[in-house]
Amino acid sequence: MSKAAADRRIHWRSEPHQGDIAAVRDIVASSGFFNAEEIDVAMELVQERLGRGAASGYHFIFAEADGKMVGYACYGPIAGTHSSFDLYWVAVHQSGRRGGLGREIMARAEAAIAQAGGTRIYVETSSRPQYEPTRNFYLRIGYRQDALLADFYGPGDGKVIYVKVLPGRRAD
Ligand SMILES: CC(C)(COP(=O)(O)OP(=O)(O)OC[C@H]1O[C@@H](n2cnc3c(N)ncnc32)[C@H](O)[C@@H]1OP(=O)(O)O)[C@@H](O)C(=O)NCCC(=O)NCCS
């Protein structure tokens, strides 16, 4: 257990509950920079998982402190690839940032992906200045920029794609 987790007595789980939809909304909204549509998408991923189970392709790591969700990640295999996974979302409640929790959540997601046979993890974000902290976070935890799709989201708003290559267990 990391110092961050020990300090906060984090309880970890991966099975979503109905109440997680509202908890995810609160965490994602707390950042102040996701719009209403993006917040809806974050909630829909939990809804999809609750409705369709693992077949939804959405997998979660939830971090709770004192019974309240304080951060989470959502990931899943990329259809049509050998062993690549997407990291769809990672967020830590505004009140608990910069204490190592985001790093710990990602480490647990990466371990679960490796356990499932994944070897490459992709994550994408915007190139806008507002997302610099997010890009810095990915770089600090060992992701490297693999592509920049200029103007992808809109004029002057590109998509930056990061990757982390995990040690493969398969002979490929
Ligand atoms: C990105 C996010 C998950 C980071 O969580 P966190 O718990 O604050 O991050 P950690 O404390 O584990 O930091 C891990 C590393 O990232 C760096 N980092 C984290 N936030 C940063 C920031 N705002 N600016 C610069 N660096 C940052 C830390 O310095 C740390 O590096 P170090 O250990 O080498 O010093 C959190 O800020 C967040 O939820 N942001 C809003 C949602 C978001 O952008 N999600 C990603 C897109 S889906």
Side-chain angles (χ1 to χ4, degrees), residues 37-70:
E37 196 183 331
E38 290 166 323
I39 295 169
D40 281 349
V41 169
M43 293 163 67
E44 279 164 22
L45 301 189
V46 186
Q47 185 71 63
E48 273 281 304
R49 170 66 199 227
L50 286 169
R52 297 178 53 215
S56 65
Y58 298 123
H59 302 270
F60 291 86
I61 303 283
F62 296 110
E64 289 176 335
D66 300 323
K68 198 171 180 314
M69 198 194 296
V70 288

PDB file of all heavy atoms in Angstrom, residues 37-70:
ATOM      1  N   GLU A  37     -21.831  17.733 -21.276  1.00  0.00           N
ATOM      2  CA  GLU A  37     -21.847  16.555 -22.152  1.00  0.00           C
ATOM      3  C   GLU A  37     -20.798  15.533 -21.696  1.00  0.00           C
ATOM      4  O   GLU A  37     -21.054  14.325 -21.649  1.00  0.00           O
ATOM      5  CB  GLU A  37     -21.534  17.012 -23.579  1.00  0.00           C
ATOM      6  CG  GLU A  37     -21.871  16.002 -24.642  1.00  0.00           C
ATOM      7  CD  GLU A  37     -21.469  16.517 -26.027  1.00  0.00           C
ATOM      8  OE1 GLU A  37     -21.467  17.754 -26.227  1.00  0.00           O
ATOM      9  OE2 GLU A  37     -21.136  15.697 -26.874  1.00  0.00           O
ATOM     10  N   GLU A  38     -19.620  16.023 -21.343  1.00  0.00           N
ATOM     11  CA  GLU A  38     -18.550  15.123 -20.892  1.00  0.00           C
ATOM     12  C   GLU A  38     -18.923  14.453 -19.567  1.00  0.00           C
ATOM     13  O   GLU A  38     -18.634  13.266 -19.352  1.00  0.00           O
ATOM     14  CB  GLU A  38     -17.241  15.907 -20.756  1.00  0.00           C
ATOM     15  CG  GLU A  38     -16.670  16.320 -22.113  1.00  0.00           C
ATOM     16  CD  GLU A  38     -15.566  17.379 -22.010  1.00  0.00           C
ATOM     17  OE1 GLU A  38     -15.654  18.283 -21.147  1.00  0.00           O
ATOM     18  OE2 GLU A  38     -14.623  17.309 -22.809  1.00  0.00           O
ATOM     19  N   ILE A  39     -19.570  15.218 -18.689  1.00  0.00           N
ATOM     20  CA  ILE A  39     -19.997  14.651 -17.405  1.00  0.00           C
ATOM     21  C   ILE A  39     -21.027  13.550 -17.645  1.00  0.00           C
ATOM     22  O   ILE A  39     -20.978  12.480 -17.026  1.00  0.00           O
ATOM     23  CB  ILE A  39     -20.539  15.768 -16.472  1.00  0.00           C
ATOM     24  CG1 ILE A  39     -19.411  16.737 -16.115  1.00  0.00           C
ATOM     25  CG2 ILE A  39     -21.173  15.175 -15.220  1.00  0.00           C
ATOM     26  CD1 ILE A  39     -19.859  18.017 -15.422  1.00  0.00           C
ATOM     27  N   ASP A  40     -21.928  13.793 -18.601  1.00  0.00           N
ATOM     28  CA  ASP A  40     -22.928  12.764 -18.947  1.00  0.00           C
ATOM     29  C   ASP A  40     -22.249  11.500 -19.452  1.00  0.00           C
ATOM     30  O   ASP A  40     -22.644  10.387 -19.111  1.00  0.00           O
ATOM     31  CB  ASP A  40     -23.880  13.288 -20.038  1.00  0.00           C
ATOM     32  CG  ASP A  40     -24.939  14.215 -19.464  1.00  0.00           C
ATOM     33  OD1 ASP A  40     -25.055  14.288 -18.228  1.00  0.00           O
ATOM     34  OD2 ASP A  40     -25.642  14.869 -20.256  1.00  0.00           O
ATOM     35  N   VAL A  41     -21.219  11.672 -20.287  1.00  0.00           N
ATOM     36  CA  VAL A  41     -20.514  10.505 -20.836  1.00  0.00           C
ATOM     37  C   VAL A  41     -19.876   9.701 -19.694  1.00  0.00           C
ATOM     38  O   VAL A  41     -19.974   8.472 -19.648  1.00  0.00           O
ATOM     39  CB  VAL A  41     -19.444  10.925 -21.863  1.00  0.00           C
ATOM     40  CG1 VAL A  41     -18.539   9.750 -22.232  1.00  0.00           C
ATOM     41  CG2 VAL A  41     -20.100  11.493 -23.113  1.00  0.00           C
ATOM     42  N   ALA A  42     -19.255  10.397 -18.749  1.00  0.00           N
ATOM     43  CA  ALA A  42     -18.611   9.712 -17.617  1.00  0.00           C
ATOM     44  C   ALA A  42     -19.644   8.873 -16.854  1.00  0.00           C
ATOM     45  O   ALA A  42     -19.385   7.725 -16.477  1.00  0.00           O
ATOM     46  CB  ALA A  42     -17.961  10.732 -16.686  1.00  0.00           C
ATOM     47  N   MET A  43     -20.842   9.458 -16.650  1.00  0.00           N
ATOM     48  CA  MET A  43     -21.900   8.738 -15.929  1.00  0.00           C
ATOM     49  C   MET A  43     -22.426   7.567 -16.758  1.00  0.00           C
ATOM     50  O   MET A  43     -22.718   6.492 -16.219  1.00  0.00           O
ATOM     51  CB  MET A  43     -23.031   9.710 -15.587  1.00  0.00           C
ATOM     52  CG  MET A  43     -22.620  10.769 -14.583  1.00  0.00           C
ATOM     53  SD  MET A  43     -23.752  12.171 -14.559  1.00  0.00           S
ATOM     54  CE  MET A  43     -25.231  11.409 -13.924  1.00  0.00           C
ATOM     55  N   GLU A  44     -22.531   7.765 -18.068  1.00  0.00           N
ATOM     56  CA  GLU A  44     -23.064   6.707 -18.944  1.00  0.00           C
ATOM     57  C   GLU A  44     -22.177   5.455 -18.944  1.00  0.00           C
ATOM     58  O   GLU A  44     -22.673   4.343 -19.090  1.00  0.00           O
ATOM     59  CB  GLU A  44     -23.205   7.234 -20.378  1.00  0.00           C
ATOM     60  CG  GLU A  44     -24.474   8.046 -20.587  1.00  0.00           C
ATOM     61  CD  GLU A  44     -24.428   8.877 -21.863  1.00  0.00           C
ATOM     62  OE1 GLU A  44     -23.643   8.533 -22.781  1.00  0.00           O
ATOM     63  OE2 GLU A  44     -25.168   9.874 -21.925  1.00  0.00           O
ATOM     64  N   LEU A  45     -20.879   5.652 -18.783  1.00  0.00           N
ATOM     65  CA  LEU A  45     -19.983   4.494 -18.770  1.00  0.00           C
ATOM     66  C   LEU A  45     -20.306   3.585 -17.576  1.00  0.00           C
ATOM     67  O   LEU A  45     -20.295   2.363 -17.699  1.00  0.00           O
ATOM     68  CB  LEU A  45     -18.514   4.932 -18.727  1.00  0.00           C
ATOM     69  CG  LEU A  45     -18.012   5.814 -19.878  1.00  0.00           C
ATOM     70  CD1 LEU A  45     -16.495   5.968 -19.814  1.00  0.00           C
ATOM     71  CD2 LEU A  45     -18.405   5.244 -21.234  1.00  0.00           C
ATOM     72  N   VAL A  46     -20.621   4.210 -16.433  1.00  0.00           N
ATOM     73  CA  VAL A  46     -20.994   3.421 -15.248  1.00  0.00           C
ATOM     74  C   VAL A  46     -22.338   2.742 -15.502  1.00  0.00           C
ATOM     75  O   VAL A  46     -22.529   1.553 -15.209  1.00  0.00           O
ATOM     76  CB  VAL A  46     -21.083   4.305 -13.983  1.00  0.00           C
ATOM     77  CG1 VAL A  46     -21.324   3.433 -12.754  1.00  0.00           C
ATOM     78  CG2 VAL A  46     -19.827   5.141 -13.801  1.00  0.00           C
ATOM     79  N   GLN A  47     -23.264   3.512 -16.088  1.00  0.00           N
ATOM     80  CA  GLN A  47     -24.599   2.974 -16.393  1.00  0.00           C
ATOM     81  C   GLN A  47     -24.497   1.765 -17.323  1.00  0.00           C
ATOM     82  O   GLN A  47     -25.155   0.742 -17.115  1.00  0.00           O
ATOM     83  CB  GLN A  47     -25.433   4.086 -17.045  1.00  0.00           C
ATOM     84  CG  GLN A  47     -26.878   3.722 -17.307  1.00  0.00           C
ATOM     85  CD  GLN A  47     -27.677   3.613 -16.020  1.00  0.00           C
ATOM     86  OE1 GLN A  47     -27.836   4.587 -15.296  1.00  0.00           O
ATOM     87  NE2 GLN A  47     -28.141   2.413 -15.716  1.00  0.00           N
ATOM     88  N   GLU A  48     -23.669   1.903 -18.339  1.00  0.00           N
ATOM     89  CA  GLU A  48     -23.470   0.803 -19.300  1.00  0.00           C
ATOM     90  C   GLU A  48     -22.968  -0.447 -18.597  1.00  0.00           C
ATOM     91  O   GLU A  48     -23.419  -1.560 -18.853  1.00  0.00           O
ATOM     92  CB  GLU A  48     -22.413   1.210 -20.337  1.00  0.00           C
ATOM     93  CG  GLU A  48     -22.949   1.959 -21.536  1.00  0.00           C
ATOM     94  CD  GLU A  48     -23.576   1.012 -22.541  1.00  0.00           C
ATOM     95  OE1 GLU A  48     -22.901   0.070 -23.000  1.00  0.00           O
ATOM     96  OE2 GLU A  48     -24.775   1.214 -22.830  1.00  0.00           O
ATOM     97  N   ARG A  49     -22.010  -0.244 -17.719  1.00  0.00           N
ATOM     98  CA  ARG A  49     -21.424  -1.371 -17.003  1.00  0.00           C
ATOM     99  C   ARG A  49     -22.464  -2.042 -16.088  1.00  0.00           C
ATOM    100  O   ARG A  49     -22.545  -3.269 -16.001  1.00  0.00           O
ATOM    101  CB  ARG A  49     -20.207  -0.881 -16.189  1.00  0.00           C
ATOM    102  CG  ARG A  49     -19.648  -1.877 -15.214  1.00  0.00           C
ATOM    103  CD  ARG A  49     -19.044  -3.075 -15.927  1.00  0.00           C
ATOM    104  NE  ARG A  49     -18.921  -4.208 -15.035  1.00  0.00           N
ATOM    105  CZ  ARG A  49     -17.833  -4.956 -14.917  1.00  0.00           C
ATOM    106  NH1 ARG A  49     -16.772  -4.707 -15.659  1.00  0.00           N
ATOM    107  NH2 ARG A  49     -17.817  -5.966 -14.091  1.00  0.00           N
ATOM    108  N   LEU A  50     -23.286  -1.206 -15.436  1.00  0.00           N
ATOM    109  CA  LEU A  50     -24.317  -1.752 -14.552  1.00  0.00           C
ATOM    110  C   LEU A  50     -25.332  -2.552 -15.354  1.00  0.00           C
ATOM    111  O   LEU A  50     -25.812  -3.589 -14.913  1.00  0.00           O
ATOM    112  CB  LEU A  50     -25.018  -0.612 -13.789  1.00  0.00           C
ATOM    113  CG  LEU A  50     -24.203   0.030 -12.673  1.00  0.00           C
ATOM    114  CD1 LEU A  50     -24.872   1.314 -12.185  1.00  0.00           C
ATOM    115  CD2 LEU A  50     -24.025  -0.941 -11.507  1.00  0.00           C
ATOM    116  N   GLY A  51     -25.628  -2.082 -16.567  1.00  0.00           N
ATOM    117  CA  GLY A  51     -26.639  -2.749 -17.390  1.00  0.00           C
ATOM    118  C   GLY A  51     -26.131  -4.004 -18.071  1.00  0.00           C
ATOM    119  O   GLY A  51     -26.852  -4.997 -18.179  1.00  0.00           O
ATOM    120  N   ARG A  52     -24.895  -3.989 -18.531  1.00  0.00           N
ATOM    121  CA  ARG A  52     -24.397  -5.083 -19.381  1.00  0.00           C
ATOM    122  C   ARG A  52     -23.266  -5.892 -18.756  1.00  0.00           C
ATOM    123  O   ARG A  52     -22.752  -6.830 -19.375  1.00  0.00           O
ATOM    124  CB  ARG A  52     -23.944  -4.516 -20.731  1.00  0.00           C
ATOM    125  CG  ARG A  52     -25.109  -3.863 -21.514  1.00  0.00           C
ATOM    126  CD  ARG A  52     -24.648  -3.264 -22.827  1.00  0.00           C
ATOM    127  NE  ARG A  52     -23.927  -4.212 -23.626  1.00  0.00           N
ATOM    128  CZ  ARG A  52     -22.887  -3.930 -24.421  1.00  0.00           C
ATOM    129  NH1 ARG A  52     -22.472  -2.687 -24.515  1.00  0.00           N
ATOM    130  NH2 ARG A  52     -22.284  -4.862 -25.111  1.00  0.00           N
ATOM    131  N   GLY A  53     -22.843  -5.484 -17.574  1.00  0.00           N
ATOM    132  CA  GLY A  53     -21.763  -6.229 -16.915  1.00  0.00           C
ATOM    133  C   GLY A  53     -20.452  -6.094 -17.667  1.00  0.00           C
ATOM    134  O   GLY A  53     -20.245  -5.137 -18.443  1.00  0.00           O
ATOM    135  N   ALA A  54     -19.576  -7.075 -17.507  1.00  0.00           N
ATOM    136  CA  ALA A  54     -18.242  -7.012 -18.123  1.00  0.00           C
ATOM    137  C   ALA A  54     -18.322  -6.958 -19.644  1.00  0.00           C
ATOM    138  O   ALA A  54     -17.417  -6.432 -20.304  1.00  0.00           O
ATOM    139  CB  ALA A  54     -17.409  -8.201 -17.673  1.00  0.00           C
ATOM    140  N   ALA A  55     -19.442  -7.475 -20.212  1.00  0.00           N
ATOM    141  CA  ALA A  55     -19.598  -7.453 -21.671  1.00  0.00           C
ATOM    142  C   ALA A  55     -19.652  -6.022 -22.219  1.00  0.00           C
ATOM    143  O   ALA A  55     -19.450  -5.802 -23.415  1.00  0.00           O
ATOM    144  CB  ALA A  55     -20.864  -8.204 -22.069  1.00  0.00           C
ATOM    145  N   SER A  56     -19.908  -5.047 -21.346  1.00  0.00           N
ATOM    146  CA  SER A  56     -19.928  -3.647 -21.779  1.00  0.00           C
ATOM    147  C   SER A  56     -18.547  -3.202 -22.258  1.00  0.00           C
ATOM    148  O   SER A  56     -18.418  -2.237 -23.013  1.00  0.00           O
ATOM    149  CB  SER A  56     -20.369  -2.733 -20.626  1.00  0.00           C
ATOM    150  OG  SER A  56     -19.393  -2.788 -19.585  1.00  0.00           O
ATOM    151  N   GLY A  57     -17.513  -3.883 -21.767  1.00  0.00           N
ATOM    152  CA  GLY A  57     -16.142  -3.488 -22.117  1.00  0.00           C
ATOM    153  C   GLY A  57     -15.604  -2.382 -21.220  1.00  0.00           C
ATOM    154  O   GLY A  57     -14.483  -1.929 -21.398  1.00  0.00           O
ATOM    155  N   TYR A  58     -16.406  -1.949 -20.238  1.00  0.00           N
ATOM    156  CA  TYR A  58     -15.959  -0.896 -19.317  1.00  0.00           C
ATOM    157  C   TYR A  58     -15.624  -1.519 -17.962  1.00  0.00           C
ATOM    158  O   TYR A  58     -16.451  -2.214 -17.366  1.00  0.00           O
ATOM    159  CB  TYR A  58     -17.047   0.172 -19.147  1.00  0.00           C
ATOM    160  CG  TYR A  58     -17.378   0.867 -20.440  1.00  0.00           C
ATOM    161  CD1 TYR A  58     -18.677   0.880 -20.941  1.00  0.00           C
ATOM    162  CD2 TYR A  58     -16.384   1.498 -21.180  1.00  0.00           C
ATOM    163  CE1 TYR A  58     -18.980   1.506 -22.142  1.00  0.00           C
ATOM    164  CE2 TYR A  58     -16.671   2.123 -22.381  1.00  0.00           C
ATOM    165  CZ  TYR A  58     -17.966   2.125 -22.855  1.00  0.00           C
ATOM    166  OH  TYR A  58     -18.258   2.730 -24.044  1.00  0.00           O
ATOM    167  N   HIS A  59     -14.419  -1.245 -17.528  1.00  0.00           N
ATOM    168  CA  HIS A  59     -13.937  -1.779 -16.250  1.00  0.00           C
ATOM    169  C   HIS A  59     -13.503  -0.609 -15.376  1.00  0.00           C
ATOM    170  O   HIS A  59     -13.043   0.420 -15.898  1.00  0.00           O
ATOM    171  CB  HIS A  59     -12.774  -2.739 -16.491  1.00  0.00           C
ATOM    172  CG  HIS A  59     -13.161  -3.874 -17.393  1.00  0.00           C
ATOM    173  ND1 HIS A  59     -13.666  -5.060 -16.932  1.00  0.00           N
ATOM    174  CD2 HIS A  59     -13.140  -3.971 -18.743  1.00  0.00           C
ATOM    175  CE1 HIS A  59     -13.938  -5.852 -17.948  1.00  0.00           C
ATOM    176  NE2 HIS A  59     -13.626  -5.224 -19.064  1.00  0.00           N
ATOM    177  N   PHE A  60     -13.639  -0.791 -14.061  1.00  0.00           N
ATOM    178  CA  PHE A  60     -13.424   0.338 -13.150  1.00  0.00           C
ATOM    179  C   PHE A  60     -12.492  -0.010 -11.997  1.00  0.00           C
ATOM    180  O   PHE A  60     -12.393  -1.161 -11.583  1.00  0.00           O
ATOM    181  CB  PHE A  60     -14.765   0.784 -12.553  1.00  0.00           C
ATOM    182  CG  PHE A  60     -15.681   1.426 -13.558  1.00  0.00           C
ATOM    183  CD1 PHE A  60     -16.521   0.643 -14.337  1.00  0.00           C
ATOM    184  CD2 PHE A  60     -15.678   2.796 -13.744  1.00  0.00           C
ATOM    185  CE1 PHE A  60     -17.355   1.219 -15.286  1.00  0.00           C
ATOM    186  CE2 PHE A  60     -16.512   3.381 -14.689  1.00  0.00           C
ATOM    187  CZ  PHE A  60     -17.353   2.590 -15.464  1.00  0.00           C
ATOM    188  N   ILE A  61     -11.867   1.037 -11.501  1.00  0.00           N
ATOM    189  CA  ILE A  61     -11.175   1.004 -10.209  1.00  0.00           C
ATOM    190  C   ILE A  61     -11.769   2.168  -9.418  1.00  0.00           C
ATOM    191  O   ILE A  61     -11.703   3.317  -9.876  1.00  0.00           O
ATOM    192  CB  ILE A  61      -9.650   1.252 -10.352  1.00  0.00           C
ATOM    193  CG1 ILE A  61      -8.990   0.247 -11.288  1.00  0.00           C
ATOM    194  CG2 ILE A  61      -8.979   1.289  -8.981  1.00  0.00           C
ATOM    195  CD1 ILE A  61      -8.751  -1.112 -10.713  1.00  0.00           C
ATOM    196  N   PHE A  62     -12.375   1.869  -8.288  1.00  0.00           N
ATOM    197  CA  PHE A  62     -12.936   2.927  -7.447  1.00  0.00           C
ATOM    198  C   PHE A  62     -12.129   3.029  -6.159  1.00  0.00           C
ATOM    199  O   PHE A  62     -11.796   2.001  -5.553  1.00  0.00           O
ATOM    200  CB  PHE A  62     -14.388   2.620  -7.064  1.00  0.00           C
ATOM    201  CG  PHE A  62     -15.332   2.567  -8.237  1.00  0.00           C
ATOM    202  CD1 PHE A  62     -15.874   1.360  -8.654  1.00  0.00           C
ATOM    203  CD2 PHE A  62     -15.680   3.719  -8.914  1.00  0.00           C
ATOM    204  CE1 PHE A  62     -16.750   1.297  -9.728  1.00  0.00           C
ATOM    205  CE2 PHE A  62     -16.554   3.668  -9.998  1.00  0.00           C
ATOM    206  CZ  PHE A  62     -17.093   2.452 -10.413  1.00  0.00           C
ATOM    207  N   ALA A  63     -11.858   4.261  -5.754  1.00  0.00           N
ATOM    208  CA  ALA A  63     -11.175   4.513  -4.481  1.00  0.00           C
ATOM    209  C   ALA A  63     -12.153   5.218  -3.554  1.00  0.00           C
ATOM    210  O   ALA A  63     -12.724   6.248  -3.916  1.00  0.00           O
ATOM    211  CB  ALA A  63      -9.944   5.401  -4.704  1.00  0.00           C
ATOM    212  N   GLU A  64     -12.341   4.640  -2.359  1.00  0.00           N
ATOM    213  CA  GLU A  64     -13.268   5.231  -1.393  1.00  0.00           C
ATOM    214  C   GLU A  64     -12.541   5.546  -0.096  1.00  0.00           C
ATOM    215  O   GLU A  64     -11.675   4.777   0.337  1.00  0.00           O
ATOM    216  CB  GLU A  64     -14.395   4.248  -1.061  1.00  0.00           C
ATOM    217  CG  GLU A  64     -15.374   4.057  -2.194  1.00  0.00           C
ATOM    218  CD  GLU A  64     -16.417   2.995  -1.867  1.00  0.00           C
ATOM    219  OE1 GLU A  64     -16.143   2.113  -1.039  1.00  0.00           O
ATOM    220  OE2 GLU A  64     -17.492   3.055  -2.461  1.00  0.00           O
ATOM    221  N   ALA A  65     -12.924   6.650   0.511  1.00  0.00           N
ATOM    222  CA  ALA A  65     -12.421   7.002   1.846  1.00  0.00           C
ATOM    223  C   ALA A  65     -13.630   7.323   2.705  1.00  0.00           C
ATOM    224  O   ALA A  65     -14.478   8.129   2.287  1.00  0.00           O
ATOM    225  CB  ALA A  65     -11.477   8.199   1.770  1.00  0.00           C
ATOM    226  N   ASP A  66     -13.728   6.699   3.854  1.00  0.00           N
ATOM    227  CA  ASP A  66     -14.880   6.884   4.752  1.00  0.00           C
ATOM    228  C   ASP A  66     -16.206   6.686   4.016  1.00  0.00           C
ATOM    229  O   ASP A  66     -17.149   7.464   4.189  1.00  0.00           O
ATOM    230  CB  ASP A  66     -14.838   8.285   5.394  1.00  0.00           C
ATOM    231  CG  ASP A  66     -13.567   8.491   6.208  1.00  0.00           C
ATOM    232  OD1 ASP A  66     -13.128   7.509   6.844  1.00  0.00           O
ATOM    233  OD2 ASP A  66     -13.021   9.604   6.177  1.00  0.00           O
ATOM    234  N   GLY A  67     -16.252   5.688   3.157  1.00  0.00           N
ATOM    235  CA  GLY A  67     -17.497   5.356   2.459  1.00  0.00           C
ATOM    236  C   GLY A  67     -17.844   6.266   1.302  1.00  0.00           C
ATOM    237  O   GLY A  67     -18.899   6.119   0.682  1.00  0.00           O
ATOM    238  N   LYS A  68     -16.977   7.212   0.988  1.00  0.00           N
ATOM    239  CA  LYS A  68     -17.269   8.161  -0.083  1.00  0.00           C
ATOM    240  C   LYS A  68     -16.242   7.994  -1.203  1.00  0.00           C
ATOM    241  O   LYS A  68     -15.044   7.875  -0.924  1.00  0.00           O
ATOM    242  CB  LYS A  68     -17.168   9.578   0.487  1.00  0.00           C
ATOM    243  CG  LYS A  68     -17.830  10.645  -0.335  1.00  0.00           C
ATOM    244  CD  LYS A  68     -17.833  11.959   0.461  1.00  0.00           C
ATOM    245  CE  LYS A  68     -18.475  13.105  -0.284  1.00  0.00           C
ATOM    246  NZ  LYS A  68     -18.111  13.283  -1.646  1.00  0.00           N
ATOM    247  N   MET A  69     -16.712   7.997  -2.447  1.00  0.00           N
ATOM    248  CA  MET A  69     -15.775   7.847  -3.544  1.00  0.00           C
ATOM    249  C   MET A  69     -14.913   9.102  -3.685  1.00  0.00           C
ATOM    250  O   MET A  69     -15.427  10.219  -3.696  1.00  0.00           O
ATOM    251  CB  MET A  69     -16.504   7.584  -4.866  1.00  0.00           C
ATOM    252  CG  MET A  69     -15.577   7.006  -5.931  1.00  0.00           C
ATOM    253  SD  MET A  69     -16.290   7.067  -7.563  1.00  0.00           S
ATOM    254  CE  MET A  69     -17.681   5.986  -7.390  1.00  0.00           C
ATOM    255  N   VAL A  70     -13.593   8.905  -3.771  1.00  0.00           N
ATOM    256  CA  VAL A  70     -12.678  10.044  -3.860  1.00  0.00           C
ATOM    257  C   VAL A  70     -11.919  10.064  -5.189  1.00  0.00           C
ATOM    258  O   VAL A  70     -11.259  11.054  -5.525  1.00  0.00           O
ATOM    259  CB  VAL A  70     -11.684  10.073  -2.673  1.00  0.00           C
ATOM    260  CG1 VAL A  70     -12.397  10.482  -1.393  1.00  0.00           C
ATOM    261  CG2 VAL A  70     -10.993   8.718  -2.488  1.00  0.00           C
TER     262      VAL A  70
END
